[in-house]
Amino acid sequence: MTDSSSLPPSVFVHPTADVEEGARVGDGTKVWHLAHIRSSAQVGAGCVIGRNVYVDAGVTVGDLVKIQNNVSVYQGVTIEDEVFVGPCAVFTNDFRPRAQNPDWTITPTLVRRGASIGANATLVCGIEVGEYAMIAAGSVVTRDVAPYQLVAGNPARPKGWVDERGEVVSRDVDTPPQRQG
């Protein structure tokens, strides 16, 4: 059950959402219908946690992150600032899932600042998604994605490079363009 007295007054939690005691939620974050944030999860400031989003215990979500509807962010996942996670995206955290495995190990996944993950994408655990990378909708990501890289498909393959706004700046999959600045 949500104890809203432990949250900053600028946090909005829909009455059907559950923010467990011990979860930390930053200023200005909105937690929508049927979302569930577990104890020991950390969600930064200015985030939008969509309908039916599950944020597991021990997960870290940075500031200004938008997690769309029906996403589960499991233990071992770290999402840095300004990341977009599209609806129904899937994170895994176990390479050898079994219903009964007493020796299972969480395999971490890291999503760097400004990255975008398209709707229905699947991210297999143990990868790093680089800064401002773009993962196309429906992709199955089984390997690291370089900063500013655009990937698509099953399995996801390089398709080019994007800028910080998400605009495609090159279709040369082998050589990232020079960035100004």
Side-chain angles (χ1 to χ4, degrees):
M1 208 73 181
T2 302
D3 175 14
S4 58
S5 67
S6 64
L7 299 174
S10 63
V11 171
F12 170 81
V13 178
H14 190 273
T16 63
D18 185 8
V19 178
E20 292 182 9
E21 186 176 331
R24 295 193 342 217
V25 179
D27 286 331
T29 288
K30 293 176 175 50
V31 181
W32 288 103
H33 306 75
L34 304 170
H36 185 176
I37 300 175
R38 296 283 313 276
S39 64
S40 76
Q42 298 177 44
V43 176
C47 295
V48 177
I49 306 299
R51 180 185 178 93
N52 197 39
V53 169
Y54 176 75
V55 180
D56 204 357
V59 165
T60 300
V61 175
D63 296 336
L64 303 171
V65 170
K66 187 172 195 176
I67 302 176
Q68 295 280 44
N69 298 349
N70 302 310
V71 174
S72 292
V73 186
Y74 294 111
Q75 257 182 347
V77 175
T78 300
I79 298 174
E80 292 186 347
D81 298 344
E82 299 177 3
V83 169
F84 174 86
V85 182
C88 302
V90 175
F91 293 92
T92 69
N93 69 354
D94 186 354
F95 276 126
R96 292 169 204 85
R98 294 286 188 229
Q100 298 298 319
N101 182 359
D103 299 324
W104 79 286
T105 303
I106 292 173
T107 302
T109 296
L110 176 59
V111 182
R112 295 282 186 188
R113 176 187 192 94
S116 291
I117 300 167
N120 290 306
T122 299
L123 282 74
V124 176
C125 57
I127 63 168
E128 181 175 324
V129 177
E131 287 186 328
Y132 298 99
M134 177 83 65
I135 297 171
S139 297
V140 178
V141 184
T142 60
R143 296 182 243 194
D144 290 351
V145 179
Y148 297 89
Q149 191 171 45
L150 169 64
V151 299
N154 179 6
R157 300 273 188 238
K159 300 294 180 185
W161 304 92
V162 296
D163 63 15
E164 289 182 9
R165 295 181 332 244
E167 299 290 332
V168 176
V169 295
S170 173
R171 292 287 181 178
D172 178 352
V173 298
D174 295 318
T175 310
Q178 294 284 344
R179 279 194 284 288
Q180 304 300 318

